[in-house]
Amino acid sequence: QVQLAESGGEVVQPGSSLRLSCSVSGSSYGYHAVAWFRQVPGKERQGTSCINSSDRTTYYLDSVKGRFTISRDTVTNTVYLQMDSLKPEDTGVYYCAADPDLYCSGPIIEAGDFSFWGQGTQVTVSS
């Protein structure tokens, strides 16, 4: 069983930066794919980024590529999402998700492929 806990969401102005953290526990972790999703009311969860723990390859949604960076710290078992040049359309609840069998292989990151989820953290980008 994997437990995920997100933190770091807050209200920021357009153009600002923010770093989200996802603490991962309860597994060997080394073989998990971990991803960040976001969701706004009335819409499905949208995968923004994914990192493969085995080789640290990363993939991004086209609209966040060049602005978001996903990374992992193996010492603290934490996955980060660094978000720069934030836009109002980046607003939403951000969730981290993990799966023991999945290997992310492209920018299409599907929520249904992930078994474990955190509780989410709210990011609001507004002037």
Side-chain angles (χ1 to χ4, degrees):
Q1 188 75 12
V2 176
Q3 292 85 43
L4 306 168
E6 306 94 335
S7 61
E10 59 182 84
V11 179
V12 296
Q13 292 189 340
S16 299
S17 296
L18 197 60
R19 189 177 79 161
L20 305 181
S21 300
C22 174
S23 176
V24 184
S25 61
S27 80
S28 66
Y29 181 53
Y31 57 92
H32 286 280
V34 182
W36 284 96
F37 288 78
R38 64 187 179 194
Q39 188 171 28
V40 295
K43 293 190 176 182
E44 295 184 353
R45 290 185 185 184
Q46 181 184 46
T48 66
S49 55
C50 184
I51 185 167
N52 292 307
S53 298
S54 59
D55 58 12
R56 301 200 182 195
T57 51
T58 58
Y59 297 93
Y60 298 92
L61 181 71
D62 283 349
S63 63
V64 307
K65 195 176 297 183
R67 299 189 299 119
F68 288 14
T69 304
I70 188 171
S71 62
R72 62 174 291 217
D73 183 328
T74 56
V75 174
T76 61
N77 276 355
T78 303
V79 175
Y80 299 101
L81 184 66
Q82 176 67 39
M83 304 186 293
D84 299 318
S85 301
L86 282 163
K87 304 175 181 180
E89 52 263 43
D90 295 319
T91 293
V93 178
Y94 280 72
Y95 299 89
C96 66
D99 192 271
D101 300 317
L102 181 66
Y103 182 84
C104 289
S105 56
I108 307 299
I109 304 162
E110 299 283 358
D113 292 337
F114 290 82
S115 302
F116 304 103
W117 292 83
Q119 81 288 351
T121 186
Q122 177 71 46
V123 173
T124 302
V125 184
S126 175
S127 55

